[in-house]
Amino acid sequence: MSAPRTDDRVRPSLPAAPRSDRGRLLLVLALVAVVTVFSATVPLLRDWFDLRVYHGALHSWIQDGDRLYDYRVPGTTYGFTYPPFAALAMLPMAWLPLTAAIVIALLLNLAALALVLRLLTGRAWRRYGWYGCALAACALALFEPLRDTFSFGQVNVLLLALVVVDGRLLATGRGRWAGIGIGLAAAIKLTPAIFIGLLLLMGRRRAAASATAVAGAATALAAVAAPGASHFYWTYALWDTDRIGRLDYVSNQSLQGILARLGEPGRTAWAAAALVVLAVWAVRTRRAAADGDGQAAFALTGLTACLVSPITWVHHLVWLLPSFVVLVRSGRAPLAACLYAVMCTSVVWLWFDDASGIGGFLGANAYAWITLGLLLWLPAGQTPAVGRRLASRITSATIPAPRAPAPAIASPTGQPRADFGSSATAGATAAGPGAGAACGPATVRALNASSEPTASTRSAASKPQSSSERASS
């Protein structure tokens, strides 16, 4: 039987490429060389600054007997800013040399990124083989939030992996285990706690209870193991944003960052804006969940977390990756490519010294505007319709019309599923909206579509973010 005709919006092809394996290999090697030169010369490498914060703080705490939150990186005012449970999770680092810690962090981040992409895209990568995966890897290496996450030695991709694993558990009917990843992520860093609210909006009360219990148990464990550090964090460090960095620093791509650069660093305006964003998130997420589009619901929650957090450094924006998958899945690959390309350029750093005027208002907040735009207009709840159209086309192209009406196939029942990467086969889509939505192989195309970044025009500095104003977060 001939291969069925597919909907380009669901399953686009790769751009024109060399036909021979030798030509493809040469192209990939050329792209790898370009990416390597770019990464080594243009984007202001961060010298594993945040990892040095973790390593130094833990070594000082465990080996020297100092207080965890008193440590400062030599020559800076920056120290450990995460909850005490994060320190417990990183505890083995206290006995490792810095070089070993860097190698392990790189390997863990690579493994977590591979897991996230696998869960978000399903088995789409198999259709493109080594060539498509190589192009996707080159594109991912240009994405500034990922570049900074690796270069800082940050934990963002690891936290994203924990949350996405929970989404996959919900999608595959193993909900009794869901919530553990979100709970651990929330105990390590507070921002992912918003996903507990997502579980409640989706009607996943058991998973929400599990996440809350895990986060509470982890926090209690830290309080028992390090009572002094826990008391200091929850009574003082948590509320002192100066420990993390300046609110108006250009890397802060949150609502608070926008307001601070406008000269409104107070909490009243930020709280009002955050409440509006949370209301939009709640409405859009409930609709997505009601339509069975769990992947869009998770993507919307990641966007909201970045916006409402008082400080969202550029490397925190790895939480936007699920949104690009949703854009491609819903037939908006060109838009995804354009937005992705902008986030490869380091464009916000052009306003590092002066973010005033209309140019600064638009350019210095470019990533925040992308995040806000995705929250407002990210396609959600459209997967079932796309699936039905695809199933109809496949059926009409491959199966002759029956002489007698075929018995109706009942659609599955149950709560809406958070779909993370299941394939949009004819059988799944014909079953109805409850069958879920595929991310599709178009993810590779979206990640390939970024243009060559220009990055910041500033020279590399000895301190992170090409500035003296930075902290671990």
Side-chain angles (χ1 to χ4, degrees):
M1 181 181 296
S2 61
R5 184 164 52 92
T6 60
D7 191 332
D8 288 339
R9 290 171 301 178
V10 178
R11 189 178 170 186
S13 60
L14 285 173
R19 295 180 179 273
S20 66
D21 286 341
R22 184 172 181 274
R24 292 182 175 186
L25 178 60
L26 291 175
L27 176 59
V28 168
L29 291 176
L31 289 175
V32 169
V34 170
V35 171
T36 301
V37 172
F38 170 82
S39 300
T41 59
V42 178
L44 306 176
L45 299 181
R46 314 306 186 186
D47 195 26
W48 293 283
F49 182 85
D50 287 1
L51 184 64
R52 288 193 285 119
V53 171
Y54 311 150
H55 183 269
L58 289 168
H59 188 277
S60 172
W61 185 38
I62 300 300
Q63 301 285 13
D64 301 335
D66 297 331
R67 296 195 302 180
L68 175 64
Y69 293 100
D70 283 350
Y71 173 80
R72 296 292 184 271
V73 175
T76 77
T77 60
Y78 305 121
F80 198 79
T81 60
Y82 290 163
F85 178 73
L88 294 185
M90 300 177 186
L91 203 56
M93 198 182 299
W95 292 279
L96 292 175
L98 180 59
T99 302
I102 290 172
V103 171
I104 293 173
L106 287 174
L107 293 175
L108 287 175
N109 274 325
L110 284 171
L113 179 60
L115 177 62
V116 167
L117 295 175
R118 172 64 178 84
L119 295 180
L120 289 178
T121 63
R123 299 182 178 180
W125 61 273
R126 295 184 179 181
R127 296 169 182 162
Y128 297 121
W130 69 269
Y131 176 65
C133 291
L135 294 182
C138 290
L140 286 167
L142 298 177
F143 190 54
E144 185 177 5
L146 280 177
R147 291 198 320 255
D148 278 2
T149 290
F150 279 85
S151 188
F152 273 123
Q154 257 286 343
V155 299
N156 307 301
V157 177
L158 295 170
L159 300 180
L160 177 60
L162 289 172
V163 171
V164 172
V165 165
D166 269 359
R168 183 62 174 174
L169 291 174
L170 291 172
T172 54
R174 290 173 285 182
R176 62 177 179 173
W177 300 105
I180 296 176
I182 291 174
L184 288 174
I188 293 172
K189 188 173 181 177
L190 299 181
T191 306
I194 191 175
F195 284 90
I196 299 177
L198 167 66
L199 295 175
L200 292 173
L201 289 174
M202 295 179 67
R204 300 288 191 169
R205 295 180 181 177
R206 178 173 178 174
S210 296
T212 304
V214 168
T219 303
L221 174 63
V224 172
S230 296
H231 180 267
F232 179 81
Y233 178 81
W234 295 109
T235 60
Y236 176 75
L238 173 62
W239 314 103
D240 182 15
T241 56
D242 291 337
R243 290 177 55 88
I244 303 175
R246 278 179 27 222
L247 293 175
D248 63 347
Y249 186 45
V250 72
S251 183
N252 184 14
Q253 293 292 305
S254 68
L255 294 174
Q256 180 75 294
I258 296 175
L259 292 171
R261 284 186 286 275
L262 288 174
E264 293 289 341
R267 294 186 178 181
T268 302
W270 165 74
L275 287 175
V276 173
V277 166
L278 288 170
V280 173
W281 162 72
V283 171
R284 298 215 66 206
T285 298
R286 285 180 64 90
R287 290 177 180 173
D291 289 337
D293 195 352
Q295 191 177 65
F298 270 74
L300 290 167
T301 305
L303 296 168
T304 303
C306 292
L307 288 170
V308 301
S309 175
I311 290 183
T312 297
W313 301 132
V314 168
H315 54 78
H316 295 164
L317 298 177
V318 295
W319 291 98
L320 270 63
L321 284 175
S323 299
F324 289 111
V325 175
V326 172
L327 281 176
V328 175
R329 181 204 68 183
S330 60
R332 290 163 173 81
L335 175 60
C338 291
L339 297 179
Y340 188 90
V342 172
M343 297 193 67
C344 291
T345 61
S346 301
V347 64
V348 297
W349 297 102
L350 296 176
W351 287 270
F352 168 72
D353 288 319
D354 183 9
S356 62
I358 186 64
F361 179 68
L362 297 176
N365 304 311
Y367 297 167
W369 299 136
I370 290 175
T371 307
L372 183 59
L374 287 172
L375 175 66
L376 295 175
W377 294 294
L378 185 75
Q382 299 183 11
T383 301
V386 172
R388 284 194 296 271
R389 287 194 294 270
L390 174 58
S392 175
R393 292 191 180 193
I394 293 176
T395 302
S396 62
T398 61
I399 303 176
R403 295 184 179 180
I409 301 176
S411 61
T413 59
Q415 299 181 41
R417 298 174 59 181
D419 190 353
F420 278 78
S422 58
S423 298
T425 60
T429 53
C439 296
T443 306
V444 178
R445 181 184 182 188
L447 300 183
N448 280 339
S450 60
S451 61
E452 182 177 353
T454 59
S456 173
T457 58
R458 298 177 58 84
S459 59
S462 59
K463 295 180 183 179
Q465 301 284 24
S466 75
S467 167
S468 60
E469 302 294 344
R470 178 69 179 93
S472 171
S473 175

